[in-house]
Amino acid sequence: MGHTHLPSTEAAVAAVREVARAYELEMAVTDDIGADQTSRRTSAGAFAVLDTDGSLPHEAFVELGGVPAVTVQVFPEDDARITVDGVEFNDVPRDSVPVFLRSVYGGTAYVKGRLFPFGRWLVVPLPGDETYKEIVPRGILSPWLTRKIRG
């Protein structure tokens, strides 16, 4: 299953909606449209509503219900920030968002850790050779993350 090209924030949100439906998750979406509304813009001026190319930038914040707690912030710049039980993955390509979520909900994501020096990582393998790893902040070890620990 390769990556589908998601040309827009709307397409990314629709793809997340498919994953939510597949795993029977509640989903809430907040849309911010216009450069004055989005959280980070590089191509538009400080008070601009349109990007320099005349398009309306569109950012979406998606909250998925269920376990683990997941939020997806889709940025107009073709990337997203996915937070899984407090562990933040920045700069996930928008096209990778649906397969990332399937890895989390489908059971292939896991936590790997060691005692010395102490550290735990949430590892999210995607089809192909793509893997995302982020440190699990100390003190954030939800029941879901605990269940995902591998030696």
Side-chain angles (χ1 to χ4, degrees):
M1 183 159 68
H3 297 288
T4 315
H5 178 61
L6 301 171
S8 65
T9 299
E10 291 87 348
V13 170
V16 171
R17 198 176 303 279
E18 287 298 307
V19 174
R21 200 172 294 131
Y23 291 96
E24 298 179 349
L25 304 167
E26 298 275 316
M27 180 171 149
V29 182
T30 309
D31 291 291
D32 292 310
I33 298 173
D36 57 334
Q37 300 292 309
T38 55
S39 63
R40 56 183 168 97
R41 296 304 306 157
T42 45
S43 52
F47 299 102
V49 174
L50 298 176
D51 270 355
T52 47
D53 64 0
S55 66
L56 266 178
H58 177 188
E59 178 177 307
F61 184 76
V62 181
E63 290 177 86
L64 293 164
V67 177
V70 175
T71 60
V72 182
Q73 192 162 9
V74 182
F75 298 107
E77 289 92 356
D78 292 343
D79 69 325
R81 176 190 306 132
I82 302 175
T83 305
V84 180
D85 269 1
V87 182
E88 213 170 82
F89 292 82
N90 287 299
D91 306 318
V92 176
R94 188 162 54 201
D95 294 350
S96 297
V97 169
V99 285
F100 185 103
L101 294 174
R102 286 181 192 282
S103 176
V104 168
Y105 290 112
T108 52
Y110 62 95
V111 173
K112 114 179 161 184
R114 59 175 189 238
L115 287 174
F116 301 104
F118 181 81
R120 284 199 165 92
W121 287 265
L122 175 54
V123 181
V124 182
L126 304 191
D129 264 352
E130 215 175 338
T131 300
Y132 288 89
K133 272 194 334 198
E134 281 300 330
I135 194 107
V136 176
R138 269 182 177 277
I140 295 187
L141 202 57
S142 68
W144 182 84
L145 286 167
T146 302
R147 282 195 307 274
K148 295 293 173 185
I149 293 175
R150 287 188 193 164

